[in-house]
Amino acid sequence: MNQLIAKNVNVWYGENHAIKDVSMVIEPYQVTALIGPSGCGKSTFLRLFNRMNDYIDNFRMEGEILINETNIYDPTVNTEALRKKVGMVFQKPNPFPTSIYENVAFGMKIQGMNKKSELDEIVETSLRKAVLWDEVKDSLKKSAFSLSGGQQQRLCIARTLAVEPEVILMDEPASALDPISTSKLENLIFELKKSYTIVIVTHNMQQAGRISDQTAFFFMGKLIEYDSTKKMFLKPTHLQTQNYITGRFG
Amino acid sequence: MRRPKEKLIEKLLAMSGWLTILTTLGILVILVYESVQFFADVSVWEFLTGTEWTPLFSKKEFGILPLLTATLLTSVIALLVALPIGLSIAIYLNEYANRKFRSTVKPMLEVLASVPTVVYGFFALTIITPFLQSFIPGLAGFNSISPGIVMGIMIIPMISSLSEDALFAVPKSLRDASYGMGATRFQTVFRVLIPSASSGIIVSIILAISRAIGETMIVAIAAGQQPNFTFNPLVPVETITTYIVQVSLGDVPRDSIEYRTIFAAGMVLFIITFVMNNVSLWLKRKYHRQYE
């Protein structure tokens, strides 16, 4: 089971108490959406699962994050190995300034794999999984910057898939994309959840409603409500959730 | 309608711009004029391929190669010192050091570049050379290794500072991508940051070489004034710049062939640094576009 479990998690940036006593269980092979107004801590919370907050000055955290029953904040945990299991797709497409092929092969190369035949195969399967193969198969040597924004984002997903993660974290992956690219990305996420556990931060209520199975509403660093997306959108328990989802604030 | 005062100011500003351009053009014209006269007496082929440079002797030879190799030799030694150290400093400051350390150390490093070169020259001659002689037997009092090393120290801040700027300009999102894929810090530096900043780093290297090639005082003091055609760093050599100093300070008659040699030598120096600076400018423009 690849459950992600947060137990009484608190996060501070210096004096700023960014996450306040959050506990939640994220189920495997589902899409879990984290929603809430800007600054509510949802991105910070997402980045706890692959320890990307470690690079931020003054970051301090208490509590436990368990993946496969291991506390990933245990000092013995190898963060590089963790990040191979827990991949991440960022807000803006961020391909490396190299070729399409090299972008996808990056993760394997840093693990020391250099056999061309194996790399070729992984690059192809990863690009196929990210539904990008047909668009780029004839231009693998071209710069990743020659792709459109939506294609770049799918390339970043292919790059993440290449190292065979179990969990994929997405931090507003569609916020820089046009509507057509966004819908392609959403279809892709729908496909990916068969094989991966997906946690996605989004600002877009409709998007959360369309793609997620579970939704968690964060406000001022607290987890206000967490339930099936259907229930959250139709019959939220808390007034704050209802106000946010119906667009009364945020 | 614009007022006359505005117009006057505009004219003055334009004039100061033109002044620098005209100065450069003036220097160029004189260089070309004197060189052309020089090459009326000495063939270009002889000048570029001759291995002896003795314009001040009775048996005159005009092969620039000894001066050119000396210039290259000292510059290469300088680069061998400055590149690994400068780049390591840039990587450390950018990726490992905390922000406070970086903002304190970076200006301190730049002090190295503001030490007068005559001080560096005597440092090479009176400290580095004797020190090297203590374990390199047969090292001459004047040689190219000692000023080369000292020139290397002088250009470290050029490489470290400009390379650090280039590394700093790499978008944070690329770091995130690399770390997010499970790359270590070392892998992120060598596989993502340095390749992404490569054109900026190359610019810093070219400018540093160009500075080393044009450097005069250090080599004039510590490398000697013997135009040996050699790549041996342990013997005295004479660089292009040193030769120009030597002749300018001496009592060579105006409009003689000896006098014109300094313009021919200066022309060579000018062409080398001009080409290098333009390559670096071209690269700089190229890399500024990269992330747009």
Side-chain angles (χ1 to χ4, degrees):
Chain A
M1 286 293 270
N2 297 319
Q3 268 184 341
L4 312 181
I5 301 169
K7 269 189 194 165
N8 305 101
V9 172
N10 282 283
V11 171
W12 291 265
Y13 294 125
E15 293 297 298
N16 176 19
H17 196 171
I19 302 241
K20 293 168 186 157
D21 198 36
V22 171
S23 297
M24 83 189 259
V25 176
I26 293 171
E27 295 297 336
Y29 306 116
Q30 297 212 337
V31 176
T32 303
L34 310 181
I35 62 169
S38 300
C40 70
K42 59 192 189 301
S43 279
T44 297
F45 187 70
L46 183 79
R47 292 161 73 99
L48 286 174
F49 291 99
N50 65 345
R51 296 192 54 170
M52 282 299 277
N53 291 327
D54 293 17
Y55 295 103
I56 296 169
D57 292 342
N58 311 324
F59 165 77
R60 189 160 63 83
M61 99 51 107
E62 274 173 18
E64 288 185 342
I65 300 276
L66 303 171
I67 299 179
N68 294 340
E69 283 147 25
T70 312
N71 179 12
I72 61 166
Y73 282 86
D74 191 90
T76 60
V77 164
N78 176 337
T79 50
E80 283 84 38
L82 167 73
R83 294 195 188 116
K84 283 163 198 161
K85 290 280 156 234
V86 185
M88 188 161 208
V89 177
F90 297 85
Q91 198 164 354
K92 265 171 74 185
N94 55 355
F96 298 121
T98 51
S99 69
I100 294 168
Y101 183 95
E102 287 300 322
N103 263 280
V104 184
F106 178 83
M108 305 314 297
K109 284 193 170 174
I110 58 173
Q111 292 183 41
M113 183 192 284
N114 280 310
K115 239 178 115 186
K116 197 178 174 297
S117 56
E118 287 175 45
L119 286 174
D120 285 353
E121 196 190 318
I122 291 168
V123 168
E124 181 175 341
T125 43
S126 308
L127 285 168
R128 278 191 193 283
K129 281 188 210 159
V131 203
L132 190 59
W133 176 252
D134 290 332
E135 292 159 63
V136 302
K137 65 183 172 200
D138 299 321
S139 51
L140 293 175
K141 296 272 169 270
K142 273 198 188 163
S143 162
F145 290 148
S146 66
L147 301 175
S148 74
Q151 288 173 322
Q152 286 186 18
Q153 196 61 300
R154 277 179 286 145
L155 178 67
C156 292
I157 292 176
R159 179 174 71 184
T160 305
L161 298 180
V163 292
E164 299 179 336
E166 292 165 9
V167 180
I168 302 175
L169 309 174
M170 299 187 173
D171 192 356
E172 299 185 42
S175 63
L177 304 185
D178 62 82
I180 294 169
S181 302
T182 300
S183 92
K184 280 190 185 169
L185 187 79
E186 288 178 4
N187 291 339
L188 173 61
I189 291 170
F190 199 75
E191 280 301 309
L192 290 175
K193 78 169 184 182
K194 292 170 190 160
S195 330
Y196 306 92
T197 305
I198 295 173
V199 189
I200 179 169
V201 164
T202 178
H203 259 298
N204 182 327
M205 284 313 104
Q206 286 82 6
Q207 184 172 62
R210 280 193 300 265
I211 60 174
S212 68
D213 304 297
Q214 313 285 330
T215 298
F217 173 61
F218 282 77
F219 186 64
M220 310 259 289
K222 284 190 189 132
L223 176 61
I224 305 295
E225 193 167 353
Y226 174 42
D227 214 321
S228 77
T229 300
K230 212 172 175 185
K231 173 143 190 297
M232 289 282 281
F233 276 78
L234 294 178
K235 257 195 203 164
T237 314
H238 292 262
L239 185 64
Q240 271 173 323
T241 315
Q242 194 181 0
N243 286 347
Y244 182 71
I245 285 173
T246 54
R248 234 164 272 172
F249 78 101
Chain B
M1 202 189 89
R2 283 191 291 175
R3 279 176 294 177
K5 198 175 150 195
E6 289 275 328
K7 269 197 166 165
L8 182 71
I9 289 172
E10 194 186 316
K11 286 257 157 61
L12 282 172
L13 291 175
M15 234 169 70
S16 47
W18 277 107
L19 199 66
T20 54
I21 294 172
L22 288 175
T23 311
T24 315
L25 280 178
I27 292 172
L28 196 61
V29 165
I30 291 170
L31 266 182
V32 170
Y33 175 75
E34 298 282 351
S35 304
V36 164
Q37 286 187 304
F38 172 80
F39 286 116
D41 294 329
V42 178
S43 80
V44 176
W45 178 252
E46 186 192 340
F47 179 69
L48 291 178
T49 59
T51 56
E52 278 189 63
W53 180 259
T54 54
L56 305 180
F57 295 172
S58 53
K59 187 184 169 297
K60 296 189 192 321
E61 295 285 347
F62 299 98
I64 189 85
L65 280 180
L67 302 188
L68 205 57
T69 52
T71 300
L72 291 180
L73 184 61
T74 48
S75 303
V76 165
I77 293 170
L79 193 67
L80 287 179
V81 171
L83 185 59
I85 298 177
L87 210 52
S88 308
I89 291 173
I91 291 168
Y92 179 75
L93 287 182
N94 189 257
E95 203 52 28
Y96 292 87
N98 64 39
R99 210 169 293 159
K100 205 175 159 200
F101 185 79
R102 175 175 173 270
S103 59
T104 328
V105 167
K106 221 179 157 189
M108 277 164 66
L109 269 171
E110 275 157 32
V111 170
L112 277 181
S114 55
V115 174
T117 51
V118 64
V119 175
Y120 275 122
F122 276 98
F123 178 65
L125 184 66
T126 60
I127 295 175
I128 299 293
T129 300
F131 170 71
L132 292 175
Q133 277 170 332
S134 67
F135 58 90
I136 305 177
L139 179 65
F142 295 110
N143 55 67
S144 48
I145 187 164
S146 168
I149 292 171
V150 170
M151 247 175 8
I153 296 170
M154 177 188 75
I155 61 176
I156 282 173
M158 286 185 80
I159 292 188
S160 67
S161 184
L162 292 173
S163 298
E164 206 273 333
D165 290 344
L167 289 170
F168 190 76
V170 176
K172 188 181 161 292
S173 64
L174 287 186
R175 280 188 182 79
D176 283 348
S178 177
Y179 288 129
M181 302 281 301
T184 61
R185 219 163 218 189
F186 190 78
Q187 286 170 328
T188 302
V189 167
F190 283 91
R191 288 181 182 259
V192 177
L193 298 182
I194 291 182
S196 304
S198 58
S199 38
I201 293 171
I202 293 169
V203 168
S204 80
I205 294 169
I206 294 175
L207 289 178
I209 299 176
S210 179
R211 174 82 178 78
I213 287 175
E215 171 51 35
T216 309
M217 218 53 193
I218 299 175
V219 281
I221 293 172
Q225 298 190 343
Q226 290 177 30
N228 286 319
F229 180 50
T230 176
F231 278 107
N232 179 357
L234 307 181
V235 299
V237 292
E238 181 167 47
T239 66
I240 298 177
T241 48
T242 307
Y243 175 75
I244 295 174
V245 171
Q246 185 191 359
V247 174
S248 318
L249 294 179
D251 43 10
V252 169
R254 245 184 113 90
D255 290 329
S256 63
I257 181 89
E258 294 92 327
Y259 169 79
R260 287 192 186 116
T261 53
I262 64 174
F263 292 96
M267 193 74 197
V268 172
L269 204 58
F270 175 79
I271 290 170
I272 297 174
T273 47
F274 182 79
V275 167
M276 291 183 86
N277 287 351
N278 275 285
V279 168
S280 76
L281 257 179
W282 174 77
L283 275 170
K284 211 178 198 170
R285 278 202 205 106
K286 200 177 144 199
Y287 106 98
H288 271 303
R289 268 201 303 258
Q290 203 170 330
Y291 298 113
E292 280 166 12

